[in-house]
Amino acid sequence: MAVGIFSTYDDVLPNAGPVGIWLATLVGFDSAANLAEEAKGPFRSVPRAIVGSVVAAGVLGIVFLICLTIAIEDIPRVTASESPVAAIMREQLGPPMATVLLAAVAIAFFGAGTVVMTACSRMVFAMARDGRFPAHRLMRRVNPRTRTPVPATVLILVVGLALMVALPGAALLKLITASMILPAIIYGATVVLYLAVRRRLDRRKGAFDLGRFELPVAVCALVWTLASLFILVSPAEALVPVLIVVGLLVAGGLFFAGLLLFNRPALETQPQDAAVPER
């Protein structure tokens, strides 16, 4: 998985530096949270899954980065290459092994794409179930046999395919970069909201709890998120991805304002059932 991520972000973040590339391995750990309603004992299993994924991705990513750096024989030539990671692998392992690793990259990306589609479809379903998504009556439907949100899943699949077909390679890479910036903003906003309401949150017996380390970890997470955002948006090449993110935030803000003005009860009430059967 780390191989696939690093190979892609050779092109996406060429000027973000090693830290910027390493950040790519730490995006998407919250997918476990998006599937919490389908997990057993989510108050314990989901936080553990998130922590485990961050630790695994961080350790494997930094080890992979160190190994790549040590393996460089000609820095100017590797730097000038269109795909430095692939070039290093070919030099050190030979074309046959490089081909095998590229096959692993393809498998890793397929798996990552499946996870992203699953997580996004669950977010669409959750928002639609709460009446906070366009066409929510359709998107909240759940297949009675598989208990999965089929319309929401199909929507994410269609949008993904449309973007891949409509956007040329360079534009698609800009969109991928934006998909790293936006989660960092969401993570930061989540931490800020948590810090604001933490004293009013209920404590569940047996749930995951950091105890006395709760506040220090939250503050460190916020600092890390701010540093990550700075690294992601500071390169000159990040202008287009930043504009994409700003456009998405504006669109979301307008939709939120529409709910406030015309459907405020949807923002003030919670559904009684976690799933709405398809009819």
Side-chain angles (χ1 to χ4, degrees):
M1 187 66 178
V3 175
I5 294 173
F6 273 95
S7 298
T8 296
Y9 288 96
D10 272 342
D11 299 319
V12 175
L13 293 174
N15 296 315
V19 177
I21 297 176
W22 183 48
L23 288 173
T25 67
L26 301 180
V27 172
F29 60 84
D30 57 323
S31 295
N34 297 328
L35 300 175
E37 290 183 356
E38 301 176 33
K40 293 183 178 180
F43 292 100
R44 290 185 64 84
S45 61
V46 171
R48 289 179 176 179
I50 291 176
V51 173
S53 65
V54 171
V55 171
V59 171
L60 292 176
I62 199 66
V63 168
F64 185 71
L65 183 60
I66 292 173
C67 292
L68 284 177
T69 304
I70 294 175
I72 297 176
E73 296 181 349
D74 189 334
I75 295 179
R77 185 174 71 251
V78 170
T79 303
S81 173
E82 294 183 357
S83 182
V85 172
I88 295 171
M89 290 182 176
R90 279 194 299 270
E91 290 179 359
Q92 295 296 327
L93 304 175
M97 183 56 68
T99 301
V100 173
L101 291 177
L102 287 175
V105 168
I107 296 173
F109 266 93
F110 177 80
T114 302
V115 171
V116 169
M117 186 171 70
T118 303
C120 289
S121 66
R122 267 50 179 186
M123 283 191 286
V124 169
F125 162 74
M127 294 179 65
R129 181 198 60 202
D130 297 351
R132 302 167 187 173
F133 194 84
H136 64 274
R137 296 185 185 277
L138 172 63
M139 293 301 155
R140 69 182 184 181
R141 292 183 179 177
V142 175
N143 185 282
R145 184 175 63 86
T146 63
R147 308 300 296 173
T148 53
V150 175
T153 304
V154 172
L155 173 66
I156 297 302
L157 174 62
V158 171
V159 170
L161 291 176
L163 290 174
M164 292 183 63
V165 172
L167 296 178
L172 185 60
L173 289 178
K174 298 293 185 182
L175 186 62
I176 293 174
T177 306
S179 71
M180 291 179 58
I181 297 174
L182 191 58
I185 295 175
I186 296 173
Y187 301 156
T190 302
V191 175
V192 170
L193 179 61
Y194 167 75
L195 291 173
V197 302
R198 57 184 292 266
R199 297 186 182 278
R200 289 179 281 165
L201 297 177
D202 295 331
R203 302 289 178 176
R204 286 180 176 265
K205 185 178 180 180
F208 182 87
D209 193 350
L210 290 173
R212 69 181 65 180
F213 297 103
E214 179 182 282
L215 183 58
V217 168
V219 173
C220 289
L222 183 58
V223 173
W224 169 261
T225 302
L226 294 176
S228 302
L229 278 173
F230 175 77
I231 292 172
L232 291 170
V233 305
S234 57
E237 290 77 5
L239 177 60
V240 174
V242 168
L243 292 177
I244 293 174
V245 170
V246 170
L248 291 173
L249 292 176
V250 170
L254 291 174
F255 181 71
F256 179 73
L259 289 177
L260 281 175
L261 293 174
F262 306 110
N263 192 17
R264 195 179 185 90
L267 299 175
E268 299 176 344
T269 58
Q270 291 292 333
Q272 297 298 319
D273 301 317
V276 179
E278 185 181 44
R279 294 181 181 177

